[in-house]
Amino acid sequence: MILGYVSCLPETKLMAKFVEELKNERLMGTRCRKCGAKYLPPRAHCKCGSADVEWFEASRQGKILTYTSVGFPPQSMSKHKSYIVAIAELQDGSKLLAQLTGVSLKMLRVGMPVQVVSRPVSTDKIVYELKPMDVMEI
Amino acid sequence: MTEKVGIVGIGHAKFGKRTDVTLRELAHEAVTPALVDAEINVKDIDASVIGVTSEEFAAQVSPAILVHDYVGIGNKPVFRVEAACATGSAAVRAGWSLVKSGLADVVLVVGVETMTHLGTPEATEVIARAGDTRWEYPFGATFPSYYALMAIAHMHKYGTTREQLSMVSVKNHMYGAMNPYAHIQKTITLEETMKSAMICHPLNLYDCCLISDGAAAVILASEEKAKRFSDTPVWLVGLGAASDTMMISERENLTELKATKTAAERAYRMAGITSSDVDVAVVHDCFTIAEIMAYEDLGFCKKGEGGKFIEEKQSYIGGKTPINVDGGLKSKGHPLGATGVSMTVEITKQLRDEAGKRQVKGAEIGLSHNVGEAGQYCFVHVYSR
Ligand SMILES: [Zn+2]
């Protein structure tokens, strides 16, 4: 399965594992065994140069750092009309850019609690999305 | 080895929808006046550096030799430089390095891009793929969206207003209307800009730069040659460059461009000046929020006060630091590879007192600031008379 609404890259071993876990609602990052740096999204190599990285399960809860509504999509996204793109800061400090659904632009605020959920968009594609936290869960 | 590197010739093609010419012809339109301006023959050129950002826009793989050969430089060295929207300034930096190192005495730097033959959705698509193609582009992130993310963060943290964004656009269109090379030469009102169509909330149509065709050229020379060719060489006295994370989500701070701050510090240090010494500047206003952040990150005002800076008209001629009085990317246009070279052309004109109605009187120190992508690349050049 391919990650994203559109993709122009081959699926590697790292992506296969990431996507497989995503199907089971697990958001996986990588951690460097040498220097301890954590990466979400995951990387096969650390910025310190080490290739000795291990998987860890990242937090799926956080808050909105910033957002926008894309009213003029690129050609590859033209069938999606307008959509909201946001950056969330998760509880473990990692940041993720994704589309945000389940809330109108009017209701959106910086700092709003959100969660990361998995959503298959077609038989061959899956994405992670940000959704407002259920009031009960806050 | 030469002490200083001078700018001895400048040339500028008309920016706009230029489907009347091919890439090579458009480049020629900028190179010819640069040679005339320097009063030299094309055979006096030792090497060329060609800035073209995208082969998809050029519809030509490896376009550098196409331009080099067409303008008649002959079998001299040529290579292409690319740094996304900052390609032109990267090319000037490479040209400076060739002269400074002694590898060449006279270098022609050309920036050129042909974009309008692709429709806007397709052009937006090509540019979007300059974003991280694994982790950000697949979610529908576009370049307007990256700057919109920064705009919301800036408005939230500093109280920057929608109106202040539009004020940048009003200023740049006012000056662009006086620039015969600008893509759109017409003034606009604050009301018109506020009402225009939303592109990426909170950025509307008038917050976004134009997709244009264009070319610009400069001739750089060693101190000895510069003094021989020109009575009024402008010297490139400070060059600073920096970069930042590929993923926008990995940035520590979304209300600034760290690459701008670092590149500016390096350029100021090399030139031995501070931001308050700058008499005139061109900054990378691909979106209005980018110009507001540039005021702050280049040190023309305090962090968070960029909105106030435009509101008080401090970036107009007569204000603290006149900025983008050539119309900026906003009104002059943003043919990617040409933009940085066009910035060098504008500052050279200003320092030679040749900018006409847009002249900043007595300007002695100028600055150009060119950003690639959403702050992934940044080049700051300082110029003196
Ligand atoms: Zn490491």
Side-chain angles (χ1 to χ4, degrees):
Chain A
M1 234 179 183
I2 293 172
L3 177 77
Y5 294 89
V6 287
S7 184
C8 49
L9 295 179
E11 294 306 290
T12 58
K13 218 169 95 184
L14 180 100
M15 291 309 289
K17 163 81 173 169
F18 179 78
V19 164
E20 193 53 38
E21 296 283 1
L22 196 62
K23 279 197 245 171
N24 301 316
E25 294 287 342
R26 274 197 299 270
L27 188 62
M28 303 300 287
T30 54
R31 183 192 294 119
C32 175
R33 283 203 185 91
K34 198 174 158 201
C35 76
K38 285 165 73 181
Y39 297 102
L40 181 77
R43 291 168 54 110
H45 311 90
C46 181
K47 287 191 179 182
C48 79
S50 165
D52 188 12
V53 298
E54 62 185 0
W55 290 97
F56 74 94
E57 187 174 349
S59 163
R60 287 195 296 124
Q61 296 176 351
K63 59 179 183 7
I64 294 291
L65 274 185
T66 187
Y67 59 88
T68 180
S69 171
V70 179
F72 197 93
Q75 195 175 43
S76 62
M77 293 292 285
S78 54
K79 65 169 191 266
H80 294 269
K81 298 219 174 66
S82 79
Y83 47 86
I84 293 170
V85 169
I87 297 176
E89 180 167 29
L90 305 180
Q91 277 168 2
D92 61 8
S94 43
K95 292 176 214 159
L96 207 54
L97 178 145
Q99 286 194 11
L100 177 118
T101 60
V103 61
S104 68
L105 180 62
K106 248 189 179 155
M107 300 300 291
L108 250 179
R109 295 289 177 270
V110 170
M112 183 180 266
V114 286
Q115 55 187 327
V116 183
V117 297
S118 310
R119 189 166 82 85
V121 287
S122 61
T123 50
D124 65 335
K125 288 198 184 85
I126 191 167
V127 290
Y128 46 81
E129 271 181 0
L130 301 169
K131 272 193 183 311
M133 223 61 134
D134 204 73
V135 178
M136 297 302 288
E137 290 176 54
I138 296 173
Chain B
M1 203 171 68
T2 184
E3 269 301 304
K4 294 202 283 186
V5 176
I7 299 158
V8 297
I10 54 173
H12 207 290
K14 167 78 176 72
F15 282 9
K17 191 168 170 56
R18 296 297 310 275
T19 42
D20 58 316
V21 285
T22 60
L23 183 90
R24 66 190 94 184
E25 291 163 352
L26 191 54
H28 191 271
E29 193 179 312
V31 172
T32 304
L35 291 166
V36 170
D37 180 46
E39 296 181 50
I40 63 170
N41 188 282
V42 72
K43 300 296 170 215
D44 296 322
I45 303 284
D46 295 326
S48 79
V49 181
I50 313 294
V52 181
T53 299
S54 161
E55 306 197 340
E56 284 175 75
F57 283 130
Q60 168 74 52
V61 173
S62 198
I65 181 61
L66 179 84
V67 170
H68 175 96
D69 178 54
Y70 191 73
V71 300
I73 302 172
N75 76 329
K76 306 277 181 63
V78 54
F79 57 80
R80 171 178 166 203
V81 166
E82 186 279 309
C85 326
T87 290
S89 290
V92 170
R93 186 178 166 94
W96 183 92
S97 307
L98 287 177
V99 176
K100 182 70 182 168
S101 66
L103 279 172
D105 283 333
V106 185
V107 172
L108 173 71
V109 181
V110 185
V112 58
E113 207 82 38
T114 48
M115 304 172 76
T116 68
H117 63 96
L118 299 183
T120 306
E122 204 182 335
T124 307
E125 174 75 26
V126 169
I127 301 166
R129 260 186 270 128
D132 190 306
T133 44
R134 172 113 279 161
W135 299 110
E136 297 193 331
Y137 160 79
F139 296 89
T142 58
F143 274 82
S145 81
Y146 293 131
Y147 280 94
L149 292 169
M150 294 187 234
I152 289 287
H154 203 275
M155 290 162 107
H156 177 76
K157 186 164 179 191
Y158 298 115
T160 306
T161 65
R162 182 47 271 179
E163 210 163 32
Q164 289 167 338
L165 297 176
S166 287
M167 287 172 181
V168 171
S169 185
V170 170
K171 170 181 69 73
N172 292 354
H173 276 280
M174 186 192 104
Y175 289 116
M178 304 177 200
N179 183 349
Y181 298 104
H183 185 160
I184 292 189
Q185 297 167 32
K186 97 179 166 57
T187 58
I188 46 161
T189 65
L190 189 63
E191 201 189 5
E192 279 172 299
T193 70
M194 297 280 285
K195 277 197 311 206
S196 66
M198 197 54 72
I199 300 295
C200 278
H201 173 85
L203 303 179
N204 64 35
L205 186 65
Y206 278 108
D207 290 306
C208 307
C209 64
L210 305 163
I211 291 172
S212 314
D213 309 317
V218 298
I219 297 166
L220 306 179
S222 62
E223 187 170 6
E224 188 212 322
K225 288 268 171 86
K227 284 178 174 163
R228 198 189 309 164
F229 294 153
S230 174
D231 299 329
T232 54
V234 165
W235 306 103
L236 259 170
V237 293
L239 293 92
S243 60
D244 205 346
T245 62
M246 185 64 196
M247 282 189 294
I248 305 302
S249 62
E250 216 181 339
R251 303 274 167 90
E252 294 154 32
N253 186 341
L254 287 161
T255 62
E256 65 175 30
L257 294 186
K258 189 178 169 188
T260 295
K261 291 171 79 176
T262 313
E265 276 165 29
R266 290 172 181 161
Y268 291 147
R269 197 183 319 129
M270 181 172 162
I273 64 157
T274 68
S275 59
S276 56
D277 296 318
V278 175
D279 298 314
V280 57
V282 283
V283 308
H284 198 87
D285 61 323
C286 50
F287 300 95
T288 51
I289 183 63
E291 179 162 324
I292 286 178
M293 290 194 298
Y295 298 158
E296 302 167 353
D297 298 340
L298 292 167
F300 298 138
C301 67
K302 284 199 199 116
K303 191 68 210 169
E305 294 185 359
K308 203 174 99 189
F309 196 77
I310 179 67
E311 193 164 349
E312 291 175 351
K313 299 199 166 188
Q314 299 291 1
S315 48
Y316 277 73
I317 293 176
K320 184 176 170 280
T321 315
I323 288 165
N324 288 341
V325 298
D326 62 345
L329 282 56
K330 179 68 213 68
S331 139
K332 189 177 61 177
H334 184 23
L336 308 176
T339 289
V341 183
S342 165
M343 288 175 162
T344 297
V345 168
E346 169 65 10
I347 293 298
T348 304
K349 264 189 206 165
Q350 287 283 348
L351 298 192
R352 287 179 182 176
D353 200 11
E354 289 175 359
K357 278 188 286 185
R358 305 179 289 100
Q359 181 63 44
V360 175
K361 285 201 181 69
E364 290 190 357
I365 293 179
L367 175 145
S368 66
H369 161 253
N370 194 189
V371 174
E373 304 191 356
Q376 278 90 331
Y377 305 83
C378 183
F379 299 86
V380 174
H381 302 332
V382 175
Y383 310 72
S384 99
R385 253 203 322 219

PDB file of all heavy atoms in Angstrom, chain A residues 32-37 39 46-50, ligand 1:
ATOM      1  N   CYS A  32      17.367   6.549  16.781  1.00  0.00           N
ATOM      2  CA  CYS A  32      18.759   6.173  16.516  1.00  0.00           C
ATOM      3  C   CYS A  32      19.336   5.475  17.743  1.00  0.00           C
ATOM      4  O   CYS A  32      19.272   6.009  18.850  1.00  0.00           O
ATOM      5  CB  CYS A  32      19.575   7.418  16.185  1.00  0.00           C
ATOM      6  SG  CYS A  32      21.332   7.097  15.977  1.00  0.00           S
ATOM      7  N   ARG A  33      19.888   4.292  17.534  1.00  0.00           N
ATOM      8  CA  ARG A  33      20.482   3.556  18.661  1.00  0.00           C
ATOM      9  C   ARG A  33      21.807   4.190  19.095  1.00  0.00           C
ATOM     10  O   ARG A  33      22.259   3.973  20.215  1.00  0.00           O
ATOM     11  CB  ARG A  33      20.726   2.089  18.269  1.00  0.00           C
ATOM     12  CG  ARG A  33      19.460   1.239  18.263  1.00  0.00           C
ATOM     13  CD  ARG A  33      19.827  -0.258  18.443  1.00  0.00           C
ATOM     14  NE  ARG A  33      18.654  -1.111  18.321  1.00  0.00           N
ATOM     15  CZ  ARG A  33      18.244  -1.653  17.180  1.00  0.00           C
ATOM     16  NH1 ARG A  33      18.922  -1.445  16.058  1.00  0.00           N
ATOM     17  NH2 ARG A  33      17.175  -2.413  17.157  1.00  0.00           N
ATOM     18  N   LYS A  34      22.401   4.980  18.240  1.00  0.00           N
ATOM     19  CA  LYS A  34      23.710   5.562  18.549  1.00  0.00           C
ATOM     20  C   LYS A  34      23.563   6.871  19.347  1.00  0.00           C
ATOM     21  O   LYS A  34      24.197   7.035  20.389  1.00  0.00           O
ATOM     22  CB  LYS A  34      24.465   5.823  17.241  1.00  0.00           C
ATOM     23  CG  LYS A  34      25.955   6.015  17.430  1.00  0.00           C
ATOM     24  CD  LYS A  34      26.656   6.123  16.088  1.00  0.00           C
ATOM     25  CE  LYS A  34      27.987   6.835  16.233  1.00  0.00           C
ATOM     26  NZ  LYS A  34      28.444   7.399  14.956  1.00  0.00           N
ATOM     27  N   CYS A  35      22.716   7.790  18.855  1.00  0.00           N
ATOM     28  CA  CYS A  35      22.639   9.110  19.514  1.00  0.00           C
ATOM     29  C   CYS A  35      21.297   9.376  20.186  1.00  0.00           C
ATOM     30  O   CYS A  35      21.131  10.377  20.871  1.00  0.00           O
ATOM     31  CB  CYS A  35      22.976  10.221  18.532  1.00  0.00           C
ATOM     32  SG  CYS A  35      21.635  10.593  17.384  1.00  0.00           S
ATOM     33  N   GLY A  36      20.312   8.506  19.954  1.00  0.00           N
ATOM     34  CA  GLY A  36      19.028   8.652  20.627  1.00  0.00           C
ATOM     35  C   GLY A  36      18.029   9.563  19.934  1.00  0.00           C
ATOM     36  O   GLY A  36      16.900   9.727  20.405  1.00  0.00           O
ATOM     37  N   ALA A  37      18.414  10.175  18.811  1.00  0.00           N
ATOM     38  CA  ALA A  37      17.491  11.085  18.105  1.00  0.00           C
ATOM     39  C   ALA A  37      16.259  10.323  17.640  1.00  0.00           C
ATOM     40  O   ALA A  37      16.349   9.179  17.201  1.00  0.00           O
ATOM     41  CB  ALA A  37      18.201  11.722  16.913  1.00  0.00           C
ATOM     42  N   TYR A  39      12.713  10.223  15.239  1.00  0.00           N
ATOM     43  CA  TYR A  39      12.163  10.764  14.001  1.00  0.00           C
ATOM     44  C   TYR A  39      10.747  10.296  13.743  1.00  0.00           C
ATOM     45  O   TYR A  39      10.467   9.105  13.695  1.00  0.00           O
ATOM     46  CB  TYR A  39      13.035  10.359  12.803  1.00  0.00           C
ATOM     47  CG  TYR A  39      14.433  10.907  12.873  1.00  0.00           C
ATOM     48  CD1 TYR A  39      15.500  10.097  13.268  1.00  0.00           C
ATOM     49  CD2 TYR A  39      14.689  12.234  12.566  1.00  0.00           C
ATOM     50  CE1 TYR A  39      16.787  10.607  13.345  1.00  0.00           C
ATOM     51  CE2 TYR A  39      15.972  12.745  12.637  1.00  0.00           C
ATOM     52  CZ  TYR A  39      17.025  11.933  13.025  1.00  0.00           C
ATOM     53  OH  TYR A  39      18.282  12.438  13.100  1.00  0.00           O
ATOM     54  N   CYS A  46      19.919   8.028  10.565  1.00  0.00           N
ATOM     55  CA  CYS A  46      19.891   9.176  11.465  1.00  0.00           C
ATOM     56  C   CYS A  46      20.679  10.329  10.856  1.00  0.00           C
ATOM     57  O   CYS A  46      21.588  10.120  10.057  1.00  0.00           O
ATOM     58  CB  CYS A  46      20.509   8.778  12.806  1.00  0.00           C
ATOM     59  SG  CYS A  46      20.501  10.132  14.004  1.00  0.00           S
ATOM     60  N   LYS A  47      20.347  11.566  11.257  1.00  0.00           N
ATOM     61  CA  LYS A  47      21.112  12.721  10.770  1.00  0.00           C
ATOM     62  C   LYS A  47      22.541  12.733  11.327  1.00  0.00           C
ATOM     63  O   LYS A  47      23.380  13.508  10.864  1.00  0.00           O
ATOM     64  CB  LYS A  47      20.385  14.038  11.096  1.00  0.00           C
ATOM     65  CG  LYS A  47      19.157  14.263  10.213  1.00  0.00           C
ATOM     66  CD  LYS A  47      18.590  15.676  10.350  1.00  0.00           C
ATOM     67  CE  LYS A  47      17.369  15.849   9.429  1.00  0.00           C
ATOM     68  NZ  LYS A  47      16.800  17.209   9.487  1.00  0.00           N
ATOM     69  N   CYS A  48      22.818  11.902  12.341  1.00  0.00           N
ATOM     70  CA  CYS A  48      24.192  11.801  12.862  1.00  0.00           C
ATOM     71  C   CYS A  48      25.051  10.901  11.972  1.00  0.00           C
ATOM     72  O   CYS A  48      26.250  10.774  12.193  1.00  0.00           O
ATOM     73  CB  CYS A  48      24.190  11.297  14.308  1.00  0.00           C
ATOM     74  SG  CYS A  48      23.959   9.508  14.458  1.00  0.00           S
ATOM     75  N   GLY A  49      24.408  10.262  11.002  1.00  0.00           N
ATOM     76  CA  GLY A  49      25.166   9.419  10.084  1.00  0.00           C
ATOM     77  C   GLY A  49      24.949   7.929  10.309  1.00  0.00           C
ATOM     78  O   GLY A  49      25.287   7.100   9.460  1.00  0.00           O
ATOM     79  N   SER A  50      24.369   7.595  11.449  1.00  0.00           N
ATOM     80  CA  SER A  50      24.189   6.185  11.786  1.00  0.00           C
ATOM     81  C   SER A  50      23.026   5.558  11.010  1.00  0.00           C
ATOM     82  O   SER A  50      22.009   6.212  10.754  1.00  0.00           O
ATOM     83  CB  SER A  50      23.920   6.069  13.293  1.00  0.00           C
ATOM     84  OG  SER A  50      23.409   4.789  13.593  1.00  0.00           O
TER      85      SER A  50
HETATM   86 ZN    ZN C   1      21.951   9.332  15.538  1.00  0.00          ZN
END
